């Protein structure tokens, strides 16, 4: 407002076109570009060291582009759009595209790396101890935090006293003097490594047993926490037949490059494969494989019901409360309002976990309070009712707030006029208030629907998909597509990243259709208002 | 009778709604104060009260660390994302340029792809980043903040653009006539006028980030680096029954920053929510 007043009272000046912010603006720009240059320089060094030339080129081009953009007077819209867009491209769009491309591969446990990785894994996994093989004194160390850092084996060859450090990537000999060895041959300290104490090593026993250090003829494995042996690979890659040959039996598994696996003549297939493109296989599996498509269709329908019921239920409840409190004759409205929105202020992740415990069959509050004995998360219907109830509780204060605001924006004269025309309160609500409210709240309802459609926390933190049918432990009655996807990708029964990515793409298509429809609506509205 | 049909029923509805709203919260308060601190011993009305759960939580667990991490991460990323989306909303609302419509649509579409659907890709990407630039890699707040800012444009640009559209264009046009640059118009004229929507967006982003579980769970594995959802989930994952009191104490403490933000911004939030909604 002050701008308008100043203009009216100020002496008339010749109107000037938009200009740049003058000397001060210039200075500010340069001051802001300084840190950009510093960050770019900081980011460049590791790239330079490791020889990532393409990434370095992208970084240089991006930095130069930023400098050009903010030092030139042109491209004003881009000046405002670029900062957010940069983050969007790097941390949102790139992962999304990467995910989409994963949907066309067989990327999964056992199909992670390339063929060479698979061969190394097969060879090291088949290592067995042969009589008379070399035995080493073992010290377990790490290059990071003793509890979580990556493990290394420091092995001392008792014959030569030489110390080597081994990881899953291979073995390298440490230069003499870098490691301190005690009389028993154990390494007590080594440059760049933290030696684990007995307790720390014991706590990570399974990781230590699982660590295999590939060597030229086989691999080094641990035996207990203080000794290691070098064994021979029972299976080896034979380049001539492009196959894996088992030394003891002479059996072969031939590489199949379209499936990314080594397969024997009788159809037996080795667990370790590599990543290849499989075209639309993941998508066709989703639609045609009866073991997958049946549960998937049920999940999709429940997902839609869940989103609709959560959004619609919170809206009806919130609107009802807002209407009840929307009267100037009522006392204590402020207090009611403050207390009603308290659930909205509570941390939802924690309250979801609290609700999970309130539905506990044995000592849950719900059963105790109402004298029930319901196994809430044991039956499909009760579990579904329970999760929707929780969503109502979490979501309706927001709708209440929004509806309260929207009600206040509707002129009181309208409902008074309808009252004079002889309308009952119900009629005036149906015909006057509600249509106006819906115009205002539709965009919020759509975005609330989209949010609930992918409401991961709501399911993961309460039922975690339960109850599960006995014949399908991957897909529970309350699972949403998103929790189902998460289980496919990170679940206990082996990660299926490729397939999970296909489901993600599927979800994206559904939500995109919904949002394009909503976009049409907002476009019409924008034309009305602007 | 007449009183009931005009005002009384309203109190009735409100009281029922209050009971529904408050009983889980009362339950949490009661569990937090319960000296036994177990789920099975907790009732709605507390039996006895002590602050034992609170002191155990603050001294025996890294809760203070988690709390600071969460407030820092949520605070910084909320502020930064509000700023980034305000910049974009200004461009979309006030400037006309080629690709404005497609840009808006693209924003909506990309936003509809929840970031955590791409969690595998994000994990692989940050494995490389952690190797190259440890300060923004796994287990660092800054890495997570950067990641959350990837969604900054989508989160509130639409809400803000709707609100920006309601501010009369004459205001910034006159400022331009007076010789203000576009940056001056944006920072001096427009931003102060749209403060309510900035408050709303900021609070929504803050609440959203402080509750974010999935990405943080993959991202933060060091005990000291965890945020509240990750840390507190671990608290009840194994010892669910016996840690319940501490967990509820933690829940109440977690609510404090949100309630504070909410109380301070309440008026702005109600206006902002409505106006943004009306103009969609």
């Amino acid at each position: 407002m002050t701008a308008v007043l100043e203009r009216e009272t100020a002496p008339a000046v010749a109107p000037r076109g938009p200009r740049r912010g003058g000397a001060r603006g210039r200075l500010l720009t340069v001051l802001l570009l300084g840190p950009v240059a510093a960050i770019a320089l900081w980011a460049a060094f590791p790239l330079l060291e490791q020889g990532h030339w393409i990434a370095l080129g992208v970084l240089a081009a991006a930095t130069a582009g930023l400098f050009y953009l903010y030092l030139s007077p042109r491209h004003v819209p881009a000046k405002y759009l670029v900062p957010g867009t940069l983050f969007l491209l790097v941390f949102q769009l790139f992962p999304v595209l990467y995910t989409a491309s994963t949907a066309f591969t067989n990327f999964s446990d056992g199909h992670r790396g390339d063929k060479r990785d698979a061969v190394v894994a097969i060879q090291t996994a088949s290592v067995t101890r042969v009589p008379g093989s070399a035995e080493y004194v073992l010290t377990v160390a790490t290059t990071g935090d003793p509890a979580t850092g990556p493990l290394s084996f420091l092995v001392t060859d008792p014959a030569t006293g030489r110390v080597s450090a081994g990881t899953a990537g291979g073995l390298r000999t440490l230069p003499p003097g870098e490691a301190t060895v005690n009389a028993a041959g154990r390494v007590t300290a080594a440059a760049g490594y933290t030696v684990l104490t007995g307790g720390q090593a014991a706590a990570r026993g399974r990781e230590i047993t699982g660590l295999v250090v590939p060597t030229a003829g086989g691999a080094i494995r641990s035996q207990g926490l203080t000794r290691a042996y070098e064994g021979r690979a029972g299976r080896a890659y034979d380049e001539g037949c492009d196959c894996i040959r088992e030394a003891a039996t002479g059996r072969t598994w031939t590489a199949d490059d379209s499936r990314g696996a080594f397969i024997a003549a009788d159809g037996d297939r080795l667990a370790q494969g590599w990543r290849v493109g499989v075209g639309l296989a993941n998508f066709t599996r989703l639609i045609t494989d009866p073991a997958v498509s049946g549960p998937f269709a049920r999940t999709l329908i429940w997902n839609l019901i869940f989103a609709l019921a959560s959004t619609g239920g919170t809206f009806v409840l919130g609107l009802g409360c807002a209407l009840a409190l929307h009267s100037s004759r009522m006392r204590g409205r402020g207090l009611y309002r403050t207390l009603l929105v308290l659930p909205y202020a509570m941390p939802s992740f924690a309250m979801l976990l609290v609700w999970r415990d309130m539905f506990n069959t044995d000592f849950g509050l719900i059963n105790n309070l109402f004298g029930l004995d319901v196994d809430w998360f044991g039956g499909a219907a009760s579990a579904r009712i329970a999760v929707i109830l929780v969503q109502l509780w979490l979501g309706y204060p927001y709708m209440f707030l929004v509806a309260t605001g929207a009600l206040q924006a509707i002129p009181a004269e309208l409902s008074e006029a309808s009252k004079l025309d002889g309308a009952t309160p119900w009629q005036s609500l149906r015909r006057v208030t509600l249509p106006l409210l819906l115009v205002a709240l539709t965009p919020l309802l759509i975005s609330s629907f989209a949010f609930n459609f992918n409401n991961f926390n709501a399911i993961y933190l309460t039922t975690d998909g339960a109850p599960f049918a006995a014949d399908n432990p991957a897909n529970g009655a309350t699972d949403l597509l998103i929790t189902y996807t998460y289980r496919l990708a990170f679940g206990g029964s082996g990660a299926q990243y490729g397939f999970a990515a296909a489901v993600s793409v599927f979800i994206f298509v559904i939500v995109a259709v919904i949002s394009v429809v909503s976009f049409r609506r907002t476009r019409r509205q924008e034309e009305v208002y602007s | 009778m007449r009183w009931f049909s005009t005002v009384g029923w309203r109190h009735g509805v409100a009281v029922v709604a209050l009971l529904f709203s408050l009983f889980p919260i009362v339950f949490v308060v009661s569990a937090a104060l319960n000296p036994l601190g177990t789920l099975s011993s907790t009732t709605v009305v507390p039996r006895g009260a002590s602050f034992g759960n609170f002191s155990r939580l603050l001294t025996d667990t890294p809760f203070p660390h988690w709390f600071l991490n969460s407030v820092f991460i949520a605070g910084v990323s909320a502020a930064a994302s509000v700023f980034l989306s305000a910049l974009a909303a200004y461009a979309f609302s006030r400037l006309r340029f080629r690709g404005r419509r497609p840009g808006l649509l693209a924003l909506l579409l990309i936003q509809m792809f929840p970031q955590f659907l791409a969690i595998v890709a994000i994990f692989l990407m940050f494995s490389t980043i952690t190797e190259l630039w440890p300060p923004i890699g796994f287990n660092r707040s800054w890495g997570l903040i950067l990641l959350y800012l990837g969604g900054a444009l989508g989160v509130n640009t639409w809400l803000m653009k709707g609100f920006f559209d309601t501010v009369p264009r004459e205001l910034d046009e006159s400022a331009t006539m007076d010789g203000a640059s576009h940056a001056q118009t944006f920072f001096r004229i427009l931003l102060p006028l749209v403060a309510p929507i900035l408050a709303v967006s900021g609070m929504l982003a803050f609440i959203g980030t402080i509750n974010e579980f999935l990405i943080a769970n993959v991202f933060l594995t060091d005990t000291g680096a965890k945020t509240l959802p990750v840390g507190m989930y671990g608290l009840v994952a194994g010892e669910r029954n016996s840690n319940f009191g501490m967990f509820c104490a933690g829940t109440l403490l977690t609510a404090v920053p949100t309630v504070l933000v909410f109380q301070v911004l309440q008026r702005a939030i109600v206006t902002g929510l409505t106006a943004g909604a009306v103009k969609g």
Side-chain angles (χ1 to χ4, degrees):
Chain A
M1 287 312 275
T2 45
V4 177
L5 294 176
E6 271 170 21
R7 186 173 155 237
E8 279 167 355
T9 51
V13 282
R16 276 176 293 182
R19 54 165 190 146
R20 276 173 279 139
R24 264 185 63 201
R26 270 272 194 210
L27 188 69
L28 218 70
T29 315
V30 173
L31 281 181
L32 283 174
L33 283 174
V36 171
I39 290 172
L41 208 62
W42 170 76
F45 275 110
L47 291 177
L48 201 67
E49 255 168 46
Q50 308 218 1
H52 293 286
W53 303 116
I54 299 176
L56 200 63
V58 171
L59 180 71
T63 315
L66 282 178
F67 269 77
Y68 165 74
L69 178 64
Y70 287 100
L71 291 176
S72 111
R74 301 171 54 208
H75 309 298
V76 173
K79 288 183 172 49
Y80 288 88
L81 289 170
V82 158
T85 311
L86 271 185
F87 283 102
L88 184 79
L89 288 180
V90 178
F91 295 111
Q92 184 109 348
L93 194 62
F94 174 75
V96 166
L97 293 180
Y98 190 98
T99 305
S101 70
T102 306
F104 298 97
T105 69
N106 65 348
F107 189 18
S108 57
D109 266 358
H111 296 271
R112 283 169 180 274
D114 58 14
K115 195 168 171 181
R116 217 176 35 211
D117 298 338
V119 168
V120 170
I122 289 169
Q123 286 179 353
T124 48
S126 71
V127 165
T128 46
R129 187 163 190 187
V130 283
S133 65
E135 196 169 303
Y136 301 98
V137 179
L138 169 71
T139 309
V140 184
T142 177
T143 48
D145 183 68
T148 54
L151 290 178
S152 294
F153 283 169
L154 302 178
V155 288
T156 320
D157 190 335
T160 61
R162 214 171 41 198
V163 178
S164 311
T167 61
L171 194 67
R172 86 184 163 91
T173 311
L174 292 182
E178 261 192 37
T180 322
V181 182
N182 68 8
R186 270 178 69 76
V187 176
T188 50
Y193 291 93
T194 313
V195 173
L196 296 194
T197 64
Q200 287 165 339
R204 302 181 68 180
R206 272 180 61 185
E207 280 173 83
I208 292 169
T209 317
L211 182 58
V212 182
V213 179
T215 57
I220 293 176
R221 301 189 125 186
S222 66
Q223 186 176 39
L225 295 176
T226 54
R227 281 189 303 163
Y229 65 86
E230 181 169 6
R232 286 241 177 76
R235 291 170 180 172
Y237 180 68
D238 184 338
E239 212 158 329
C241 61
D242 192 15
C243 67
I244 297 280
R245 192 185 300 278
E246 194 163 57
T249 59
R251 201 171 168 207
T252 58
W253 288 263
T254 313
D256 179 343
D257 281 313
S258 68
R259 293 164 71 181
F262 289 104
I263 300 170
D266 60 4
D268 180 48
R269 133 187 210 158
L270 294 179
Q272 281 296 337
W274 60 98
R275 195 176 352 171
V276 291
V278 292
L280 291 170
N282 288 321
F283 293 95
T284 46
R285 182 176 162 210
L286 201 59
I287 296 166
T288 54
D289 184 349
V292 177
S293 64
F296 181 77
R298 272 200 301 280
T299 306
L300 176 60
I301 292 170
W302 154 243
N303 202 153
L304 286 168
I305 295 175
F306 173 79
L308 277 175
S310 306
T311 309
T314 51
F315 176 64
V316 169
L317 226 59
L319 179 64
C321 290
L323 284 172
L325 289 182
H326 187 65
S327 161
S328 51
R329 293 174 58 187
M330 199 181 156
R331 286 200 193 162
R333 278 191 299 166
L335 183 65
Y336 280 131
R337 204 170 287 163
T338 310
L339 291 176
L340 275 184
V341 298
L342 265 186
Y344 187 49
M346 298 296 283
S348 67
F349 75 89
M351 290 314 286
L352 285 167
L353 290 166
V354 168
W355 273 97
R356 175 187 76 176
D357 289 333
M358 293 204 304
F359 279 116
N360 189 304
T361 313
D362 301 319
F363 31 73
L365 181 71
I366 308 275
N367 277 354
N368 283 346
L369 207 59
F370 299 104
L372 297 171
D373 188 26
V374 181
D375 181 10
W376 285 97
F377 295 159
S382 59
R384 286 172 176 171
I385 292 172
V387 291
I388 290 181
L389 192 72
V390 176
Q391 279 315 295
L392 287 185
W393 184 83
L394 278 174
Y396 95 98
Y398 174 73
M399 289 293 180
F400 166 73
L401 268 183
V402 171
T404 303
L407 275 177
Q408 285 165 352
I410 296 176
E413 294 83 44
L414 280 180
S415 51
E416 272 161 28
S418 66
K419 204 193 263 175
L420 284 178
D421 288 343
T424 63
W426 172 244
Q427 278 173 327
S428 117
L429 171 70
R430 269 287 328 249
R431 304 283 161 123
V432 180
T433 315
L434 212 52
L436 282 172
L437 270 181
L438 278 179
V439 169
L441 297 184
T442 305
L444 282 186
L445 287 176
I446 292 169
S447 64
S448 160
F449 179 86
F451 172 78
N452 278 316
F453 193 85
N454 287 314
N455 199 335
F456 178 84
N457 281 8
I459 301 299
Y460 185 79
L461 297 180
T462 53
T463 63
D464 198 9
F468 292 93
D471 59 338
N472 191 352
N475 194 341
T478 54
D479 254 331
L480 300 182
L481 290 175
I482 188 99
T483 52
Y484 174 57
T485 313
Y486 183 75
R487 195 170 304 116
L488 284 176
F490 295 98
S493 58
Q496 308 181 49
Y497 299 125
F499 187 54
V503 180
S504 300
V505 170
F506 198 82
I507 299 176
F508 174 59
V509 170
I510 297 172
V511 188
V513 168
I514 297 168
S515 60
V516 168
V517 172
S518 73
F519 182 76
R520 291 252 159 91
R521 290 190 76 103
T522 51
R523 166 146 61 181
R524 245 178 272 137
Q525 276 191 342
E526 195 186 25
E527 277 158 12
V528 173
Y529 287 110
S530 67
Chain B
M1 205 50 225
R2 193 172 147 64
W3 176 86
F4 184 81
S5 68
T6 54
V7 182
W9 69 273
R10 294 174 189 277
H11 284 286
V13 171
V15 168
V16 171
L18 271 192
L19 286 178
F20 179 52
S21 262
L22 293 185
F23 89 92
I25 297 175
V26 173
F27 178 66
V28 168
V29 173
S30 158
L33 295 177
N34 186 328
L36 291 175
T38 61
L39 172 60
S40 43
S41 66
T42 301
T43 48
V44 177
V45 183
R47 300 180 193 144
S50 81
F51 286 96
N53 288 322
F54 288 89
S55 58
R56 264 174 70 209
L57 183 73
L58 293 175
T59 52
D60 296 357
T61 68
F63 184 86
H65 278 289
W66 302 338
F67 193 88
L68 290 179
N69 288 340
S70 263
V71 170
F72 177 72
I73 291 175
V76 173
S77 55
S81 83
V82 165
F83 180 65
L84 290 179
S85 41
L87 286 176
Y90 174 71
F92 281 125
S93 169
R94 286 304 200 264
L95 307 171
R96 290 294 174 269
F97 49 94
R98 266 225 328 262
R100 176 173 167 274
R101 272 278 148 207
L104 274 169
L105 181 60
L107 210 57
L108 197 69
L109 283 179
I110 297 166
Q111 167 58 19
M112 287 297 164
F113 196 97
Q115 202 175 23
F116 55 77
L117 270 183
I119 185 77
V120 177
I122 289 175
F123 181 80
L124 296 174
M125 187 175 152
F126 267 90
S127 304
T128 312
I129 290 183
T130 310
E131 234 171 75
L132 290 171
W133 305 290
I136 57 167
F138 288 129
N139 285 317
R140 300 301 180 94
S141 300
W142 283 109
L144 201 56
I145 289 172
L146 288 178
L147 186 55
Y148 287 151
L149 286 185
L153 271 201
V155 180
N156 289 310
T157 308
W158 274 80
L159 194 68
M160 284 192 194
K161 177 190 164 290
F163 198 93
F164 281 25
D165 287 344
T166 67
V167 176
R169 272 170 161 268
E170 289 76 22
L171 284 180
D172 32 312
E173 272 163 16
S174 71
T176 311
M177 294 296 281
D178 286 347
S181 70
H182 58 83
Q184 283 169 332
T185 315
F186 174 68
F187 284 104
R188 303 268 182 83
I189 312 285
L190 207 57
L191 274 194
L193 287 173
V194 296
I197 200 68
L198 299 184
V200 174
S201 313
M203 196 196 66
L204 290 179
F206 186 83
I207 291 180
T209 318
I210 225 169
N211 282 307
E212 203 286 320
F213 172 74
L214 178 52
I215 293 179
N217 192 30
V218 172
F219 212 87
L220 309 169
T221 47
D222 276 0
T223 318
K226 287 179 178 176
T227 55
L228 286 166
V230 183
M232 284 171 61
Y233 183 73
L235 209 57
V236 286
E239 299 276 329
R240 192 154 140 196
N241 187 15
S242 57
N243 283 343
F244 191 70
M246 279 206 294
F247 179 80
C248 286
T251 305
L252 292 177
L253 292 177
T254 308
V256 170
T258 318
V259 173
L260 283 182
V261 171
F262 194 79
Q263 286 303 325
V264 172
L265 300 176
Q266 197 173 25
R267 190 160 294 273
I269 283 164
V270 172
T271 353
L273 272 177
T274 351
V278 172
K279 304 295 177 178

